[in-house]
Amino acid sequence: MELVGRSCWFMPQLIYYLKFQQEFQCAEIDLLHLYYIGFLSLILSIILVQLIIVIISSRGTITNTKPRDKIKKYLYIRIFLVFAEIIWSCIGIVWLFKINWMACSKLINFGVLGNIIFCWIAFIFIVVILLVLFDPISHLPEHDITTKRDVLYARLKKLFFFCCCLNSGNGRNKHYENSYRQISSILELMFRGGNLTPSDVLAGIVLLSKKEKDQFIREAKIQKYYRLNRYTRPDERIIPKWMNVNTAAFFIKYAVATYSWPYYIYMNNLRGFRELCCCPCCLSGSSVNATEGDEVPSSFINGDTKSRRNWRAFKYLSKVKDCDLIYANFKNELFFVPFCVLVDHFKKTIVITIRGTLSLRDVITDITAECEYFDIDDLKNQPCHVGIHNTALNIFNEINSLNLIQKAREKNPDYDLLVTGHSLGAGTAVILALKLKTQYPNIKCIAYSPPGGLISAALADYTKSFVMSVVLGDDIVPRLSLHSVHNLKADILKVLHACNLPKYKIAWNYSIGILWNFEGNYTKPDESLSDDETESDTDPLISSISSGDSSKMLLENNSRSVQSKLTEVAIKTASTAKQLFTDHNQQNKKKVTLEVKQMMNTVYETYPELQLPGNILYIYRVGARSTKRSQVVYFCSKIVCCICNSGSINRVSDSHFDSRWASREEFRKILITNRILIDHFPNALEHSLKYFNGNQNFLV
């Protein structure tokens, strides 16, 4: 990227200098000639060094780094050129301060100013890339765990300080620091062993995505595992009757509505932004402001804006009336997410709905993934996700301190109590339901796309009587846990050691595929991989002789009377080369297997395995989309829709869905497909559940 940017900037500047160098004698200062000659020489040197670095870095493979050993000295040269560029920028600044701006033409003045701005932008870009991609712990000894965690803690603290802690009190800062300590411990364990760079991880993910089976093949494989008793088939006879697709489809609107105005704008583009604008002239006649009902007292709503933007969006998305609201808190802090308590008279249910991840504070809550232990009934010291547990505890304390459930039951004593949420809100809803169960034994919980690393296996079994988890397709979040992440790292290590292509070829093939076949998957066999199922040698000679008829092929292609001895020598040489190649691969494979085993043993000894809660309702596609569109056409259509404001650009295309009860074993592995993030979006899950609502065959 830097090479392309430098090249595009160099040519116009060279033409500019050759054309206007006669005007560089203004203000009787000859620094300008010196500045431009030095500037062009520096840019040309940077381009040449960068080109050499690109050529050298493309040699070898991901694991074979020996052909790239010469790159170090060119990196030192590149660092020297960075400092030289800074000095030359300072010369340009001196010239700008010393000249009389009226003596030189505007073209000369702004030309120098543009060069200085470009140099500083390039410098800032390099610094940002180094801060993001530089691994601060790779040079430290493997056994120096404390130092590694301290380095990661300092990096996290600097990264999140201006975003989260600038306006926080001392108590909040203490919570943040505890979170950073826990996150740094997790990251240190995650990066321990393997010595992977960010680009290596991306290359491994691309290779794994090419190996991932089609969803229909995966579904057939899962059913085979059930038949072979590798997975425990859920017993549908003991699942409560209220747990069904129809119930999930009805209450999804409350989980989605807690995202309030960001979700409304996301679904309605420019129209949504205009309707939620604070300007009174923009609010008149808008659909989000046209809901009927009395005005809610200010004591019922906490943490909203003066125009009640959050509440108006929530009310429009959930279709709830003002009189049905018990309490709404839209504050968002560390270990505290917005939630609402309301009454649904149609289902005769008091609903507590909790928002999912929408801010950087929520991300910190998500990745504070160490274990917190608590007791419930006969289950003692049961582990759960500490960040989500703290969030549920804070909401639990606020609900009890304000007596919200009792207030809702004063007028509706016979109504059921249900807790729901999406993503982070789903995990919080599950733990909140566990804490409320002692007071309200008949509590229910619907968790939409809950995080996979949430509660222990014993708690997961305990929640089967009152928790229903809803998962769509390839959603990554229900499959996300510390154990599954380390399993993914193990798969990446294996696939990188089996890959015979450099990273630039992997990136190029993936870019072409994603650009021109947005909806499609890789259908051709992966020639760059040699896994256990389709193992093949990369050397053409070895490949040609690996089959059983190789000698016959060679003998038929050559004259037996003249070439027989040469053929025998060729066969022996190729067989020897194949044996050496196989031995080398076996040694590498044993080394990688040993690293993976050591890494996984450390993970399993450090952190208990956390799983999905309750009964899992799995929704999957049974009909693929009929057309394949180019990525370019897809994004162009999005931009046109957004500019013209002709409906939502975020509607999910038509698909056919089916549902079944799934076992927790299905979600222990992270899938690498093009839908792992899309299937987690609340609009995708809402669309799939609306399909069942519109299909009478699925209604209960």
Side-chain angles (χ1 to χ4, degrees), residues 317-548:
L317 292 169
S318 63
K319 310 302 180 187
V320 68
K321 295 180 180 180
D322 290 335
C323 58
D324 294 333
L325 176 69
I326 305 300
Y327 181 75
N329 191 338
F330 294 104
K331 283 185 178 180
N332 188 200
E333 298 176 353
L334 184 66
F335 303 141
F336 193 92
V337 291
F339 73 98
C340 296
V341 182
L342 54 95
V343 178
D344 187 297
H345 295 289
F346 182 77
K347 288 288 186 178
K348 295 184 178 181
T349 303
I350 299 169
V351 180
I352 302 174
T353 176
I354 306 171
R355 198 195 73 183
T357 302
L358 197 62
S359 67
L360 193 56
R361 294 180 177 89
D362 300 336
V363 173
I364 297 175
T365 301
D366 290 329
I367 58 181
T368 307
E370 290 195 349
C371 292
E372 178 75 17
Y373 296 86
F374 72 99
D375 304 335
I376 182 170
D377 292 347
D378 296 333
L379 300 175
K380 306 298 181 181
N381 294 325
Q382 293 301 312
C384 67
H385 189 291
V386 63
I388 298 177
H389 174 270
N390 292 341
T391 305
L393 182 62
N394 290 331
I395 294 177
F396 174 78
N397 291 335
E398 181 159 342
I399 289 175
N400 282 342
S401 63
L402 298 176
N403 295 320
L404 298 178
I405 300 176
Q406 290 83 344
K407 290 179 181 179
R409 286 202 160 182
E410 285 178 0
K411 296 182 180 180
N412 311 286
D414 298 329
Y415 280 24
D416 295 330
L417 177 61
L418 182 137
V419 189
T420 187
H422 174 266
S423 187
L424 170 61
T428 306
V430 171
I431 297 180
L432 179 61
L434 283 168
K435 292 185 174 297
L436 290 171
K437 188 164 179 60
T438 54
Q439 303 175 38
Y440 308 98
N442 296 324
I443 193 173
K444 301 174 183 177
C445 178
I446 303 179
Y448 299 98
S449 303
L454 184 60
I455 54 179
S456 64
L459 280 177
D461 292 333
Y462 176 81
T463 56
K464 283 186 176 182
S465 61
F466 62 97
V467 175
M468 175 173 63
S469 297
V470 184
V471 179
L472 172 64
D474 301 338
D475 189 352
I476 187 175
V477 173
R479 297 174 171 87
L480 205 57
S481 65
L482 291 178
H483 287 237
S484 64
V485 169
H486 282 83
N487 284 328
L488 177 64
K489 181 182 176 182
D491 291 339
I492 289 174
L493 285 172
K494 291 177 183 178
V495 78
L496 289 180
H497 279 272
C499 177
N500 301 312
L501 291 179
K503 276 186 275 192
Y504 81 93
K505 285 189 177 181
I506 297 172
W508 174 257
N509 293 337
Y510 179 75
S511 301
I512 294 298
I514 202 77
L515 186 64
W516 300 111
N517 190 13
F518 176 70
E519 301 294 345
N521 294 321
Y522 290 92
T523 55
K524 294 182 180 180
D526 182 13
E527 298 176 357
S528 66
L529 300 174
S530 55
D531 57 2
D532 296 336
E533 296 179 0
T534 58
E535 187 171 357
S536 61
D537 297 320
T538 54
D539 191 286
L541 182 60
I542 295 174
S543 298
S544 65
I545 300 181
S546 61
S547 61

Side-chain angles (χ1 to χ4, degrees), residues 541-556:
L541 182 60
I542 295 174
S543 298
S544 65
I545 300 181
S546 61
S547 61
D549 298 331
S550 55
S551 346
K552 183 178 180 181
M553 286 180 1
L554 286 172
L555 291 174
E556 288 176 353

